[in-house]
Amino acid sequence: MSKVLKMTFNLLPKGTFIVAVDGVKADVTETEVRTVMESIKASGVFKPKAGEIDSIATAEIVEQTTTPVIA
């Protein structure tokens, strides 16, 4: 089962922007995620077409299961 960290940011003037990181460690903490998200926001490394990153919205770990249909 794969784990993906899904970080959602609020944009100005409106909307959201999602950054997803695959293979996140099982014991990642809120502090670690918040630090990364603040760094992303401050660095300006991402330039979403819909606007400018304004603030942190949410972060969640999504567990994915893949079942081959044709192998």
Side-chain angles (χ1 to χ4, degrees), residues 4-27:
V4 176
L5 174 62
K6 183 176 149 186
M7 299 175 284
T8 305
F9 297 87
N10 294 313
L11 296 178
L12 284 177
K14 66 178 184 173
T16 57
F17 177 72
I18 297 170
V19 176
V21 178
D22 191 25
V24 66
K25 66 181 186 172
D27 61 347

Side-chain angles (χ1 to χ4, degrees), residues 64-68:
Q64 299 175 325
T65 302
T66 303
T67 303

